[in-house]
Amino acid sequence: SYGLGSTWDTDLVQKVAEQAAEEARYYMQTTGNKRHALVMRAPNADLARDPRWGRTEESFGEDAFLTAQLTIASVRGLQGNHPRYWKTASLMKHFLANSNEDGRDSTSSDFDTRLFHEYYAYPFYKGITEGGSRAFMAAYNSWNGIPMSIHPCLEEITRKQWGNNGIICTDGGALKLLIEAHKSFPSFAEGAAAVVKATTGQFLDAYVPYVKEALEKGLLTEVDIDKAIRGNIFVALKLGLLDGDHSRNPYLSIGKDSTETPPFMTAEARRLAREVTAKSVVLLKNKNLLPLDAGKLRKIAVIGPYSDKIVQDWYSGTPPYETTILSGIRNAVKEDTEVIHAEDNRMDQAEKAAAAADIAIVCVGNHPYGTRADWKFSPVPSDGREAVDRKSLMLPDEDLVKLVLKANPNTILVLVSSFPYTINWSQEHVPAIVHITHCSQEQGNGLADVLFGKVNPAGRTVQTWVKDITDLPDMMDYDIRNGRTYMYHQGPVLYPFGYGLSYSDFTYEKIESVKQDKKNIRVTVSVKNTSGRDGEEVVQLYASYPDSKVERPSKQLRAFKRIPIKAGETRKVTLTVPKEELGYWNEGKQMFVVEPGTVKLLIGASSEDIRLEGKIRL
């Protein structure tokens, strides 16, 4: 998801979700297949407020608006556009504010209702009200002292106000944790009764004897159960699981023709995986080294622990094939170009390979699994995963990068990682740096497409990359106003939110017009590709509120568009901002309120690279 977020491309993310849904139906309906699941526990709508969070890789990033737009796209792709049936059901997770792994089974994420509505819950709200999801998973943690699996907001807000008439489920083992970790109830029967009464209708846990005991003791009624499971039945109906043999469900044909190529092995599936991988690449630095000219290179050194290995995380499954970075580079060059490989620097292998080559490509990063089976242990402090938060932001293999660069000044750092690093030394000294995430079966081909210029990079960062771990607030401080994310962070950063370079140069010429009606503001800007290479630009619009009577972020992303612009071409780009998106949550009125006054419109190439400024009066 971190890589999908880096594309800043909602249409592409929707296509990926459509492909996932196609494959899920195929698994469900292929004769003899044992995988019977159409409720997809995706997307992850949590917000990566802190880069130390172990599950950062599962998120779309730190920004509520970007995450909401990608969540909407993912939900729509998973569920399809049929008026009656869903292809699969999108069950978002983890509601709510689940962005610390250490102690997640008993900690409380504490913040006010403004941050609930404006930040932490916003992607879930949009996933339901605009995306059409009717399912989510309650998080392990508490919000302001009440465990999420029994929190009153499940019914009072998500069901009654937002309209989630589908599934609410617990996270795995949450009933046990409710008793043993949160210590909310003295018995499992009381805990099970509370979960059901909160309208949580699915347990990912042992529950049957405790629900029966709760019924017998009068802690729970059948009416309570009916109310909680009604949403389960609704989702089953939408999936067509309760229909007869003569269903009009168009998705029932998937997988029935045994002569067809499996959906994950079609040419289109391969092309899509390669395209989204290339579009996820973020070019962090380029000092006249990229793109590479394959025709001029005689020897390339490909180095590092992730040069010939694609690492899958907890939930990736098994890809149908894998093309590693080493293989992708070999595929991209001519037969007479030698590609030499060194996994590490044992017996000076990496340095020797780099010294002998025209170009050295060093691939380092993190391992999502860690190296031991211990659930809550990671031997590398800067690694993280589910159940383990990162204790460091330093790149453990930066010494390898230093040695390779010493041996060959034409070194490219490929950061294969799930989250940001404080690579200050590399940013200062290495001529070219790119970021790519784990898991893609087309990782090598997609990256090679960017390195050799077949694809002009336009990926953007989805988090603020700080310069030092001391720049971050305390891990358990969930009040983002205390210096978190681009909206509130003070001081210099390594790479700002929304940042990414291109092989092209783009000039933001002017704001052509700012128009408004009762519902929307439309801002049209002209952007010119002043280079000789076709490229894509991610045009970003941020809003700030100089006349606000309440505390607001320094700026907020409120529209974006990834657009192709040919060499020398000027494109007029229209960004639409619904006026309701400029409001804040008024706790007294319990609603979003749009204040009268001036709103600044900041348009640019990142949260810090603002090229044009306009304003409008509401």
Side-chain angles (χ1 to χ4, degrees):
S1 293
Y2 201 75
L4 291 175
S6 299
T7 68
W8 285 60
D9 191 327
T10 54
D11 291 340
L12 191 59
V13 168
Q14 182 165 334
K15 288 179 183 178
V16 171
E18 289 169 357
Q19 176 67 22
E22 185 82 8
E23 295 181 15
R25 275 282 176 182
Y26 176 85
Y27 282 126
M28 173 75 174
Q29 295 168 178
T30 302
T31 303
N33 203 300
K34 296 180 180 179
R35 301 185 184 187
H36 295 287
L38 291 178
V39 179
M40 308 286 275
R41 290 177 187 148
N44 189 325
D46 286 318
L47 293 165
R49 67 185 174 96
D50 192 304
R52 292 170 292 189
W53 179 34
R55 296 179 84 168
T56 292
E57 64 177 355
E58 296 183 37
S59 76
F60 290 132
E62 73 181 23
D63 183 66
F65 181 81
L66 176 64
T67 297
Q69 295 304 305
L70 296 172
T71 294
I72 291 167
S74 184
V75 171
R76 289 175 176 170
L78 288 170
Q79 297 191 164
N81 57 8
H82 191 273
R84 175 167 179 164
Y85 292 105
W86 287 340
K87 202 171 192 178
T88 63
S90 168
L91 186 148
M92 300 176 293
K93 59 182 194 178
H94 311 80
F95 188 82
L96 177 79
N98 178 185
S99 58
N100 65 280
E101 294 305 295
D102 298 334
R104 64 180 180 164
D105 57 1
S106 57
T107 55
S108 180
S109 305
D110 297 338
F111 48 88
D112 58 31
T113 55
R114 266 197 70 186
L115 284 180
F116 175 93
H117 289 281
E118 294 179 13
Y119 188 69
Y120 291 107
Y122 180 84
F124 293 90
Y125 165 67
K126 288 293 184 177
I128 292 170
T129 59
E130 292 190 26
S133 171
R134 291 295 182 266
F136 64 78
M137 177 185 291
Y140 287 125
N141 56 279
S142 296
W143 172 39
N144 293 347
I146 302 175
M148 289 310 303
S149 60
I150 60 170
H151 204 288
C153 73
L154 300 181
E155 181 179 13
E156 295 304 317
I157 296 178
T158 72
R159 290 202 187 277
K160 291 182 178 179
Q161 296 179 24
W162 298 352
N164 179 24
N165 60 334
I167 295 171
I168 300 178
C169 74
T170 71
D171 205 337
L175 174 58
K176 182 179 181 181
L177 296 175
L178 188 64
I179 309 305
E180 298 182 354
H182 285 289
K183 303 188 185 303
S184 298
F185 301 96
S187 72
F188 280 81
E190 290 169 281
V195 170
V196 173
K197 286 183 176 181
T199 71
T200 304
Q202 285 188 357
F203 288 87
L204 271 63
D205 205 345
Y207 70 95
V208 174
Y210 310 122
V211 170
K212 287 184 175 179
E213 182 183 348
L215 283 168
E216 292 168 357
K217 291 183 176 179
L219 302 172
L220 196 61
T221 68
E222 287 189 24
V223 173
D224 295 325
I225 294 174
D226 288 344
K227 184 177 179 181
I229 68 171
R230 183 180 181 87
N232 305 354
I233 307 303
F234 173 78
V235 172
L237 286 166
K238 291 294 291 181
L239 292 169
L241 297 177
L242 304 181
D243 288 358
D245 294 335
H246 304 291
S247 172
R248 291 171 291 168
N249 188 342
Y251 304 124
L252 290 179
S253 62
I254 299 171
K256 295 301 184 182
D257 186 349
S258 60
T259 66
E260 289 186 2
T261 303
F264 46 83
M265 290 301 294
T266 64
E268 173 59 23
R270 290 171 177 263
R271 185 205 63 76
L272 179 61
R274 184 168 181 162
E275 178 187 7
V276 72
T277 303
K279 286 195 171 186
S280 75
V281 173
V282 183
L283 180 60
L284 297 172
K285 183 182 178 181
N286 186 25
K287 195 172 182 180
N288 303 316
L289 189 55
L290 293 172
L292 301 174
D293 187 341
K296 294 182 178 180
L297 298 174
R298 293 292 170 261
K299 186 175 290 188
I300 301 172
V302 183
I303 297 164
Y306 302 107
S307 57
D308 196 29
K309 172 175 33 178
I310 296 176
V311 180
Q312 304 300 329
D313 68 9
W314 297 108
Y315 300 115
S316 297
T318 304
Y321 64 93
E322 290 184 337
T323 304
T324 67
I325 293 173
L326 178 64
S327 297
I329 290 170
R330 284 176 171 158
N331 293 339
V333 299
K334 296 181 178 180
E335 291 184 3
D336 60 351
T337 300
E338 183 182 0
V339 179
I340 53 179
H341 178 241
E343 183 177 338
D344 53 37
N345 200 37
R346 69 187 74 181
M347 296 182 291
D348 309 316
Q349 290 178 355
E351 292 176 88
K352 290 176 180 177
D358 302 317
I359 291 286
I361 301 171
V362 57
C363 309
V364 295
N366 74 294
H367 197 302
Y369 268 135
T371 57
R372 288 179 55 177
D374 298 17
W375 181 245
K376 295 185 178 182
F377 176 79
S378 179
V380 180
S382 60
D383 278 357
R385 62 175 191 275
E386 182 173 358
V388 181
D389 286 320
R390 304 169 73 197
K391 308 306 185 294
S392 169
L393 301 184
M394 297 176 67
L395 180 62
D397 284 318
E398 200 159 34
D399 277 350
L400 175 61
V401 179
K402 292 177 180 179
L403 292 171
V404 171
L405 181 64
K406 182 180 178 181
N408 189 329
N410 296 320
T411 291
I412 301 164
L413 167 57
V414 177
L415 194 59
V416 188
S417 77
S418 305
F419 25 58
Y421 283 94
T422 51
I423 51 170
N424 299 287
W425 185 91
S426 292
Q427 170 60 24
E428 183 179 353
H429 295 94
V430 180
I433 306 173
V434 299
H435 177 261
I436 191 170
T437 54
H438 293 288
C439 303
S440 170
Q441 67 261 36
E442 286 283 353
Q443 185 184 77
N445 287 330
L447 178 65
D449 287 344
V450 171
L451 295 181
F452 290 94
K454 184 177 180 180
V455 172
N456 195 340
R460 298 292 187 266
T461 56
V462 295
Q463 274 185 299
T464 301
W465 291 47
V466 297
K467 296 176 75 70
D468 193 271
I469 196 170
T470 59
D471 295 338
L472 296 169
D474 292 345
M475 184 65 179
M476 290 307 297
D477 182 358
Y478 270 79
D479 187 345
I480 62 169
R481 303 179 192 98
N482 295 329
R484 284 194 199 284
T485 79
Y486 73 94
M487 294 186 291
Y488 295 102
H489 181 79
Q490 301 292 320
V493 300
L494 185 61
Y495 307 116
F497 172 80
Y499 169 83
L501 302 176
S502 169
Y503 299 150
S504 300
D505 297 311
F506 299 96
T507 299
Y508 286 63
E509 294 187 322
K510 63 178 178 177
I511 296 176
E512 298 282 349
S513 64
V514 178
K515 299 178 181 179
Q516 64 173 311
D517 55 30
K518 289 184 178 181
K519 291 186 176 180
N520 298 305
I521 297 168
R522 291 180 177 84
V523 183
T524 300
V525 300
S526 55
V527 182
K528 183 176 183 178
N529 183 343
T530 57
S531 71
R533 181 185 292 268
D534 296 349
E536 291 183 316
E537 175 72 343
V538 181
V539 181
Q540 304 165 40
L541 186 153
Y542 297 83
S544 67
Y545 314 92
D547 293 346
S548 179
K549 301 298 189 293
V550 298
E551 183 181 12
R552 304 293 295 272
S554 60
K555 62 175 74 78
Q556 282 181 295
L557 181 69
R558 281 299 171 256
F560 63 91
K561 191 172 289 187
R562 179 168 177 157
I563 56 166
I565 308 178
K566 294 180 179 180
E569 179 188 17
T570 298
R571 288 278 308 266
K572 291 183 179 180
V573 184
T574 298
L575 302 169
T576 301
V577 182
K579 287 184 178 179
E580 64 183 18
E581 297 291 352
L582 300 175
Y584 75 97
W585 183 260
N586 186 301
E587 296 198 24
K589 295 181 178 180
Q590 287 294 292
M591 61 183 292
F592 279 99
V593 172
V594 178
E595 297 176 283
T598 298
V599 175
K600 284 188 176 181
L601 306 171
L602 313 173
I603 298 105
S606 81
S607 59
E608 288 194 357
D609 187 6
I610 302 301
R611 309 284 184 88
L612 299 170
E613 291 192 19
K615 61 182 179 181
I616 195 164
R617 190 159 187 85
L618 301 178

